[in-house]
Amino acid sequence: HRALEKEHHLEIELEAEQKQLICLQKVSEKKHRMIVAQATMNHETASKYKLFLRNHLDSNAEKKKKKGFSGRTPVEFGASTAKILGDAAFVTPFAAAGKPVSGNGGNMFEVVASKSITIKKIRFRFNGGYGSSSGYELYKKRSFGPYANAAFDPSAWELVVSGSAASVFPQGAITAPFQVYIPEGSSQAFYIHGTSRGLVSRWQGAITGAVSAENSDARVLVGTALPQGAPFSNGYGNTAAAAMASLEYELAPPEPTFRKFIRIVETTLAELF
């Protein structure tokens, strides 16, 4: 009797387990159907959104074509907006005011940025040699700020670009393209040096630090003439002379605040040590 009763209980338990399995199976199947339905809906939604975007873009493109546009305008692609500051030609108000030019090996000068700018080329003047090409080297001071304490120290400078440039009258010679960024409110010192032929600068009446060219974006300060031969020679001492140079530049985005802080710290340390 007890054996039959035990067997009966086992049958009841087995039946309960089977019912539980059937319920779990039904729940799993329901969840699976829900997941499949959700995925299908997401896919359809994504497809509809992509179609909407495509139609929207095509519609805008069609509108631009009707207005005479073909794709984006050159300005949107960052077309050249280069500006010119200074004058490398002989015929200038500076020269007309009784400040003639004279030969030298090179010239140091500073560019002070009223707005953030990127200098891309510098036009300068060889001492003669018109119709031929001569060598040059363009350096910039490693840190922002005046060059007075580092004029004859090569380690304080780095080469930006060098090569050979044609000497043309009256436009002068021009460097190869480069990029030197000067943030708003900073000054960057440059040194242009003739390696196979000297340059010319405006010597008479020049005062170091005076403004030789300016506009609302930047100003170029009267610098120092250096002799021919090896660069960074102090043969002329600190003789003032305005570089016969013009800058090709573009306005640049403002300097990020954290980068400005780092630059100020670096400049301060460089000036102290």
Side-chain angles (χ1 to χ4, degrees), residues 11 84 120 132 148 154 161 169 173 191 217 235:
E11 288 177 357
I84 304 295
K120 310 191 80 172
S132 62
V161 68
F169 183 85
Y191 172 34
D217 301 328

Side-chain angles (χ1 to χ4, degrees), residues 215-235:
N215 59 19
S216 60
D217 301 328
R219 60 186 184 274
V220 181
L221 305 184
V222 174
T224 304
L226 278 77
Q228 288 184 255
F232 302 102
S233 171
N234 63 354

Side-chain angles (χ1 to χ4, degrees), residues 27-198:
V27 170
S28 298
E29 289 176 355
K30 187 176 180 180
K31 284 185 177 179
H32 176 70
R33 286 196 298 270
M34 291 177 62
I35 291 170
V36 171
Q38 184 66 37
T40 302
M41 185 175 66
N42 291 344
H43 177 72
E44 290 176 355
T45 303
S47 299
K48 289 179 181 178
Y49 183 65
K50 288 179 182 178
L51 181 61
F52 167 76
L53 285 179
R54 189 179 298 111
N55 292 337
H56 180 69
L57 293 173
D58 290 344
S59 175
N60 283 349
E62 189 64 30
K63 288 179 182 178
K64 286 185 177 181
K65 286 182 180 179
K66 289 180 180 179
K67 291 182 179 180
F69 291 99
S70 178
R72 295 189 176 187
T73 62
V75 173
E76 288 180 289
F77 277 111
S80 176
T81 54
K83 298 184 177 184
I84 304 295
L85 173 60
D87 187 2
F90 269 115
V91 184
T92 65
F94 202 109
K99 298 175 176 62
V101 299
S102 184
N104 52 259
N107 191 282
M108 285 183 183
F109 59 95
E110 292 174 35
V111 179
V112 182
S114 303
K115 301 174 184 177
S116 295
I117 61 174
T118 298
I119 300 180
K120 310 191 80 172
K121 293 179 184 177
I122 292 182
R123 189 177 290 277
F124 60 100
R125 181 167 293 284
F126 284 116
N127 189 3
Y130 302 117
S132 62
S133 296
S134 300
Y136 71 90
E137 293 175 340
L138 176 67
Y139 298 85
K140 76 177 182 74
K141 189 167 171 280
R142 293 183 183 275
S143 59
F144 293 113
Y147 65 84
N149 296 327
F152 310 119
D153 179 10
S155 66
W157 300 76
E158 63 181 79
L159 183 66
V160 176
V161 68
S162 64
S164 182
S167 181
V168 181
F169 183 85
Q171 294 88 351
I174 191 165
T175 67
F178 62 89
Q179 290 194 20
V180 171
Y181 173 72
I182 309 177
E184 177 182 344
S186 298
S187 67
Q188 175 66 66
F190 290 94
Y191 172 34
I192 182 78
H193 175 75
T195 57
S196 56
R197 176 180 292 277

